Structures are given as C-alpha cells and as structure tokens.
Amino acid sequence: MPSTLLERSAPAATPPRGAAPRRRTRVLALPEARWAAAAALLFLAALPLQLTGAPAWAWGPLYALAYAAGGWEPAWAGLKALRERTLDVDLLMVVAALGAAAVGQVTDGALLIVVFATSGALEALATARTADSVRGLLDLAPATASRLRDDGGEETVATADLVVGDTVLVRPGERIGADGRVLDGASEVDQATVTGEPLPVAKEAGDEVFAGTLNGTGALRVTVERDASDSVIARIVAMVEEASATKAPTQLFVEKVEQRYSLGMVAATLAVFAVPLALGAAVTGSLLRAMTFMIVASPCAVVLATMPPLLSAIANAGRHGVLVKSAVVMERLGQVDAVALDKTGTLTEGTPRVTDVRPLTRVAAGAAATGTAVAGTPATGTAAPGTTAAGTPGGPDEDRLLALAAGAEHPSEHPLARAVVDAARTRGLDLPAACDFTSAPGTGVAAVVDGRRVAVGAPARLLRGRTDAAAARALAAAADLEDGGRTAVVVEVDGVPAGVLGIADRLRPDAAATVASLTALTGSAPVLLTGDNARAAARLAAEAGIADVRAGLLPQEKAAAVREQERAGRRVLVLGDGVNDAPALAAAHTGVAMGRAGSDLALETADAVVVRDELATVPAVVALSRAARRLVVQNLVVASLFISGLVVWDLAGTLPLPLGVLGHEGSTVLVGLNGLRLLRESAWERARAEGRR
Ligand code: ADP
Ligand code: MG
C-alpha cells in the first residue's frame, strides 16, 4: 500500500463518485400526470373551436381524444376491479362522463374527465413524493467498495460481500461502503445521512465510520466492523421494506366503506333516473339529473381526505429522520397524552465508557489463558483462585477482570456491553473467546470464558439474596460507584463476585429540551423507566428534568408500568432503544425506537423509528401528526359539505351539470392540495416550533 495514497489528496475535479443524487420525482415523470396534461391540452384546443362556432367535425374528435387520454386508465382499472367484483368510484366517473356525452353534454363530460384526471395525477404525485423521501433515506450505501488484499493489491467488490475484518480503501469524495473503523488516513466525513450532523466530522485512525456517509478530501483505510446486512442503514432498509408490504387498516377501512357507499350510490342514481321517469318526466332531463347526481354524490373528496395528509406527513417526517411505519401510526402519534422514556441509549447517548475497574479478588488465568499482554505487566496466572485480597489497581488484576468481562460481553448488543469491550480494547487486551453465551435483558449476560463461568450484570439482580462477605463487598463497591452517578455492573467468576465496573454515560444534548417539549405537548410530565439502579437514574433524570423515575425494572415490568398507565386511560408514547424495551414498545399506544443505538428487536417492535437518534424530532413528529389530523378533519368537513350541498341542490332544484362537475372536482382537488401542504418544509418547521413551546 503506497502511503501517498493515504495522504490528503486534492478534491476530485469531477463530481464526487457515489454521491447520492437528490432525486425527486418530477410531475411529468408520472404517467398519470402526462395523461392528465394531454387531456387538458386537447380540451383547451377543442373548447375555443366549439365556442367560435367551428363545425363539429373540427372539435368533436379532439373531445373524443380528450376523453380517451383522461379516461382510459381509470376505465381499464375500473373494469379490472369489476371482474373481481369490486366497484371503483373512478369507473363511475368515466361512466358519468360518457353518459353526459350521450345526452349531448360533450363539453361537460370532457371537463369532468380533465379535472378528474388532474386530481388523479395529484394523488399519484403525493404518493411518489412520499416514496422519494423514504428512498432518499435508503439510497445511501454504495453498491461497490475497493477491498485491499493481503498482498497489497486492490479489488472492487460488492459491498454486500464485505465481511467483518476486511479492509477497504475509501477515496476522496466516495461514499463509505460499510460500518467500520479507520485504520489509517485522515479526512472529514459528512455523516448527515446517518447522524444528521450538518458539518463534516474529522476522522482519523481509530474513529468509527458508517456505511452511506460521504468521505471528504482525504483517503481512508477502513476496517469493516459490521457485515453489510447488519449496518445501521441496512437495518433501516429491511424495516421499511417490511412496513411498506403491509396495508394500513385505515386505508382498508376507507376502501370498505367506499365499496358500500358506491353500491348504494349506484342504486340511488337509478332511482333518481327511474322515479321521475315513472312519474312522467322526460328521458333526457331525468338522465341528466341522474348523471349529475352520480357525479356530485361520488365520495372522491372523502376518499382523498385522509391519505394525502397522512402520507405527506410521513414523507416529511421521513425527510427529517423519523420513519413512521404506516398512516395509522401517523394518526395515532398525535393522540398520545403521556410519555415514558428509557434511560440508557435513549435519554443518554448510548455510548457509555468504563470509568472504574475495581477487582475484589484476584482472578487467576484459566488453563487456556491468553496473556493479557499489557506492556511490562504480563499476566502471571500464578495467584491462587479465590484469593480474597483486593487486586492491584491498574495492574494485571484489573486487566484480567476487564478481559474476562469483555469476553463475556462481546456477543451482546447492549450499550454497556460495548463499553466494556471498548475499554478492554483500549487497554490493548486480547479478548478471550466466549461460549455458551446467554443474555437476560435488563439483567446482564453470562458465558464461559477461558474455561470459567463469567456473569456480568446488575448488582441488585446478580447478587440478590446473597449474604456472603464477597457479595457484601461487591454491593458496597457498587453503591459507592452509583453514588457517583455511575452505572455499576458486577463481574462474577465461577459464582464469586470478582469485581465491579463503573460505567458513565452522557445525557443527550437535546434531552432536557425534549422532555420540556413533550411535557408541554402532552400536558403531562414524562416518566423514566429504566433497568438501571435508582441512584444513577435519579441523578440523570434530574438533569433531564424528569421527576417520576421507576428504576430497577425488568423488561416485563417496564411493559407493566406502561399498561398500568393505559388502563388509567392514558395513551402512552414509549421511547426506547433496547431489547429490554421491546415489551414496553409493544404495550404502548405508540412505540418509538432510537434507530442508531436501537437493537433490531426494538426497531421491529416500534411503530416509528428516530433514524438519527435526534430526540428533538419526537415532539416535532407528534405535532406534525396533530397537524395532519387537523387537516383530515378539515378535509372531511369540506368534502361532506360539498357533497351534501350539491346533492340537495340537484335533487331539490336543478343543478346544471357543468356546475356539478366543477363543484365536485373542485372540492376533490381542493381537498387533495390541502393534504399536500404537509409535504412542505414549512410544515415541519411549524411542527418543530409547536413541539418546542
Ligand atoms: P435501561 O432500561 O436504562 O436501558 P437496561 O434495562 O438495558 O437499562 O439494563 C438494566 C441494567 O441491567 C443495567 O444497568 C445493567 O446493570 C444490567 N445489564 C443489562 N444488560 C447488561 C449487559 N449486557 N452487561 C452488563 N450489565 C447489563
Ligand atoms: Mg436502553
């Protein structure tokens, strides 16, 4: 590997390779929009000819083409639906237009087709923009990476084929292909896609980098630390794919109601036609009135009232790093009136560090000991097992304790586990391999390491009911650390408490502001639900401005606490990250998971995911949901006012067909556009501002 390649090189003159283009579906890229535009143009060409008294052969075919351009697609889809015994409102519109033409109202029918096609295109646009926003979040990881071979050569491989331990070269301006750690080189990396930080972050040897982030002007050699399928980005992709395969119940409900309503409407239309006819009215007049009835009574505006605002809100939230899994969830988010927060990884950054290592006994190396080689102090392995003298601080006992704990923690996904493993690595310790690993969420882990049974976990749980001297010493050491605001974990070797580790985590910078916002929004103060000890929890809660703290909870106890609130009539939003939060997330009215720190189980169980772990987006998305719900209500009111008003007008008086068409389609387009307002950046800003109050 020539070292010059790793030195800072000038930025590439060509646009950065692998930079994700900002893709936004253009209106005319949608077939629906093109057909609507064609219909409109044909209509606009025909109308002046007709009005200036040109012969019918001049404008007639233009109208016919307008009908075909705007109507063939819904007619085709409607006929297909009919074969499956469902009645499509779209088909009724086409029938109404043809009916209007049949009784000589060619212009009115064409107008209906044009406006109808336009509202269809608007709906398609809303859906496409939603998909864009989500895809924009996902289209981040590059397809290939440059892998360095052991012989110093380089090969281009698919990022999906990268495995832990591979070394990849990231050139200036390239997107990083895998989650990993910088081996050498220096550069600044734009991590906005994953962390939301607007400014590039300086990276050098030892720093963590994420798949999908954009390298700046330096070159980096990166050791892959997570398989492609495991990367932060990949987990989110999998989740969204799953979510989009399911249909929101609200939509199913609307569709079911629409079915019944449409059938009733057809029956009513027939009655509106047949009854006056039987009473001796003229055929043309009755037919016209019936056509007008069918048009104005169609539930197009009602159908369009609900989904566009919710979809637009989902798209907007997605753009700002909150993935809401369905329209139902978007609806429910705004209903919450209580909040329960997890501590580790949620309120705190989830990147805790080991601050204290306190051996209580001397732990001899096992038969298969890998030396905990720290310069100058090789592990001797000569001390008798079970020696009660406290270990030497900073010496081999500390290292041995940490190495054993890290060996046991290595397979765990818990933030505390990562802290222990990182601490061992920082000291240059070899991690002994573990087997028989088990983990008890909210309690700790156990494994056989170096032939010894090692357990690491919460003091209160691991040492429950034990009265022996070693346990008492461990509890005392833990209490001492907890008084200092640390999370203490006990390391047990072969059933004997061998030491205590103190771990400190930082509050997220926006934690206090978020707690205040959520309090204002929901009208009640959030509670903290944590498996950690009461002392550390209380200290952190005070910093974040939370008064109600429930500490020492097992996962099922967290869920029980949530259910208890729900029984009291509250709608609880649970915000969590870990496997231990999954039951509570499932029990919640709405569960929200932290995307970066979050475990797979939490991401799957949650209804929404805060992709970049920005707490402040949570109150914003609640406010956005409320805005969406307000728009839905507004839309429903507008839609039903128009429908009932026009129906009454048609039945009681004489509603001219063109006016009926304009009223009906006008209200439909109005309702559709109203929903799209939530796509705008200003809608998010308003929600954020509302969340901040
Ligand atoms: P929180 O609810 O704050 O996210 P958890 O429920 O995940 O915390 O953990 C509660 C306690 O259980 C921790 O404070 C720790 O003492 C212990 N614990 C859980 N998992 C582990 C682990 N992998 N290693 C060590 N201790 C653990
Ligand atoms: Mg947690």
Side-chain angles (χ1 to χ4, degrees):
M1 181 73 250
S3 66
T4 45
L5 236 185
L6 291 181
E7 283 158 20
R8 284 175 165 261
S9 41
T14 46
R17 262 186 295 167
R22 173 132 178 71
R23 268 197 262 143
R24 223 166 144 226
T25 305
R26 288 170 178 263
V27 180
L28 285 183
L30 295 167
E32 290 91 341
R34 273 189 252 158
W35 287 116
L41 287 177
L42 288 163
F43 178 81
L44 289 179
L47 192 62
L49 288 177
Q50 186 195 16
L51 292 181
T52 52
W57 59 258
W59 46 263
L62 289 176
Y63 274 137
L65 285 175
Y67 275 77
W72 77 269
E73 215 278 344
W76 181 243
L79 288 176
K80 266 201 297 202
L82 214 54
R83 266 222 309 267
E84 283 157 26
R85 301 181 163 275
T86 50
L87 185 60
D88 210 3
V89 186
D90 293 6
L91 185 63
L92 294 183
M93 286 293 110
V94 178
V95 169
L98 291 176
V103 295
Q105 309 280 342
V106 181
T107 320
D108 300 345
L111 181 66
L112 171 61
I113 287 283
V114 168
V115 187
F116 173 67
T118 309
S119 62
L122 279 177
E123 203 181 337
L125 183 66
T127 313
R129 286 277 161 85
T130 311
D132 287 349
S133 303
V134 175
R135 208 174 331 103
L137 276 174
L138 308 181
D139 255 7
L140 298 171
T144 60
S146 308
R147 181 162 66 191
L148 297 175
R149 285 198 305 262
D150 290 341
D151 62 12
E154 186 190 322
E155 58 195 355
T156 302
V157 295
T159 44
D161 294 337
L162 291 174
V163 294
V164 174
D166 278 352
T167 304
V168 293
L169 175 67
V170 186
R171 296 197 161 77
E174 272 184 348
R175 265 176 200 272
I176 297 172
D179 287 5
R181 205 165 284 280
V182 177
L183 200 60
D184 51 49
S187 185
E188 69 289 346
V189 174
D190 179 351
Q191 307 199 121
T193 49
V194 174
T195 66
E197 289 163 77
L199 293 177
V201 185
K203 296 282 179 184
E204 52 183 35
D207 289 339
E208 197 181 9
V209 291
F210 298 101
T213 55
L214 185 62
N215 184 25
T217 54
L220 297 171
R221 271 207 290 163
V222 172
T223 310
V224 176
E225 285 192 337
R226 264 190 287 244
D227 289 348
S229 61
D230 228 22
S231 72
V232 175
I233 288 291
R235 288 192 303 176
I236 296 168
V237 173
M239 202 190 62
V240 171
E241 275 171 358
E242 221 165 275
S244 56
T246 55
K247 210 167 191 180
T250 314
Q251 204 174 338
L252 292 174
F253 177 75
V254 168
E255 281 170 17
K256 214 160 79 189
V257 172
E258 187 191 346
Q259 269 306 303
R260 302 241 171 92
Y261 182 93
S262 310
L263 286 176
M265 204 185 72
V266 170
T269 304
L270 290 177
V272 171
F273 174 58
V275 172
L277 206 62
L279 297 178
V283 178
T284 316
S286 303
L287 196 61
L288 211 52
R289 181 184 294 243
M291 283 306 164
T292 313
F293 174 84
M294 185 157 91
I295 292 167
V296 298
S298 284
C300 299
V302 176
V303 172
L304 219 52
T306 322
M307 292 317 271
L310 294 173
L311 289 179
S312 301
I314 290 177
N316 205 335
R319 238 177 18 227
H320 293 93
V322 187
L323 289 182
V324 176
K325 289 193 187 169
S326 73
V328 181
V329 175
M330 185 41 94
E331 228 178 335
R332 290 168 74 91
L333 268 167
Q335 300 169 341
V336 298
D337 56 10
V339 179
L341 300 156
D342 165 58
K343 182 175 78 75
T344 316
T346 303
L347 264 195
T348 69
E349 289 184 337
T351 47
R353 285 158 302 121
V354 172
T355 51
D356 306 77
V357 181
R358 298 203 183 162
L360 296 167
T361 59
R362 189 162 277 188
V363 186
T370 44
T372 55
V374 169
T377 56
T380 55
T382 49
T387 307
T388 48
T392 349
D397 294 311
E398 270 193 32
D399 287 349
R400 179 75 186 141
L401 180 70
L402 198 55
L404 283 177
E409 291 277 28
H410 194 240
S412 167
E413 87 304 333
H414 199 276
L416 294 182
R418 287 203 291 264
V420 174
V421 172
D422 282 350
R425 288 227 173 97
T426 309
R427 291 195 184 198
L429 306 176
D430 287 333
L431 295 196
C435 54
D436 287 346
F437 172 82
T438 55
S439 115
T443 301
V445 298
V448 174
V449 183
D450 259 2
R452 291 164 164 272
R453 184 94 231 129
V454 179
V456 189
R461 302 212 174 270
L462 233 52
L463 304 176
R464 187 203 299 276
R466 286 184 50 168
T467 50
D468 54 294
R473 261 205 316 279
L475 284 172
D480 182 43
L481 289 170
E482 287 168 2
D483 282 335
R486 307 266 192 268
T487 297
V489 296
V490 168
V491 185
E492 217 179 51
V493 180
D494 291 332
V496 181
V500 180
L501 307 178
I503 299 173
D505 199 354
R506 261 195 315 251
L507 203 64
R508 287 186 194 275
D510 47 0
T514 301
V515 167
S517 303
L518 288 171
T519 309
L521 265 182
T522 62
S524 64
V527 297
L528 184 66
L529 304 179
T530 177
D532 201 357
N533 74 85
R535 277 177 287 242
R539 189 180 252 240
L540 216 109
E543 264 182 76
I546 299 181
D548 193 351
V549 182
R550 320 255 171 97
L553 300 182
L554 285 174
Q556 58 273 27
E557 293 169 337
K558 285 191 178 193
V562 171
R563 267 191 227 103
E564 185 193 313
Q565 284 206 46
E566 300 249 308
R567 263 199 303 277
R570 313 302 294 272
R571 299 196 175 116
V572 188
L573 182 150
V574 171
L575 184 58
D577 70 305
V579 172
N580 61 318
D581 299 319
L585 287 169
H589 176 80
T590 313
V592 182
M594 306 297 276
R596 215 145 74 87
S599 64
D600 290 352
L601 188 63
L603 295 187
E604 245 160 63
T605 316
D607 299 310
V609 175
V610 179
V611 178
R612 304 162 193 145
D613 288 7
E614 277 177 280
L615 281 178
T617 55
V618 176
V621 84
V622 170
L624 190 66
S625 161
R626 292 193 181 167
R629 286 155 50 85
R630 281 196 298 269
L631 276 194
V632 170
V633 172
Q634 239 176 47
N635 280 347
L636 286 173
V637 169
V638 168
S640 31
L641 277 181
F642 266 85
I643 289 177
S644 48
L646 292 172
V647 163
V648 168
W649 188 349
D650 184 48
L651 292 183
T654 31
L655 171 63
L657 183 64
L659 213 57
V661 168
L662 274 183
H664 172 76
E665 293 296 342
S667 62
T668 306
V669 171
L670 193 73
V671 159
L673 287 178
N674 199 26
L676 294 192
R677 284 197 308 172
L678 284 187
L679 273 176
R680 289 208 301 250
E681 190 61 24
S682 56
W684 177 260
E685 268 150 29
R686 225 170 302 122
R688 265 199 94 119
E690 195 182 329
R692 250 185 255 126
R693 254 185 292 140

